[in-house]
Amino acid sequence: MYYQNLIGGRWVAPASAQYNPNINPAQIDEVLGMFPNSGEKDVAAAIDAAVSAAETWRQTAAGERAA
């Protein structure tokens, strides 16, 4: 299974298109999944999405945020 990054509420592949295997330490021939090899572009996209969401979230009433 190939996992992705959650950025801006969407699952997206890493910008590098590279993945790293997560190997079961108890059975080293078993790959549990492939995880994104995320880099600067992925981090920048996540930060941009967070900054954008923060403004909307800030304007949301406290009662709505609590729910």
Side-chain angles (χ1 to χ4, degrees):
M1 171 173 245
Y2 281 78
Y3 293 90
Q4 296 184 324
N5 296 314
L6 181 60
I7 299 176
R10 296 182 313 118
W11 291 103
V12 295
S16 69
Q18 296 179 355
Y19 292 83
N20 297 318
N22 182 7
I23 298 172
N24 181 350
Q27 189 172 340
I28 60 173
D29 61 339
E30 179 184 10
V31 175
L32 301 174
M34 299 296 287
F35 288 85
N37 186 3
S38 301
E40 290 180 30
K41 289 181 182 179
D42 302 297
V43 173
I47 290 170
D48 290 345
V51 168
S52 176
E55 183 60 27
T56 302
W57 188 247
R58 184 181 70 79
Q59 294 176 11
T60 302
E64 289 182 59
R65 290 193 308 247

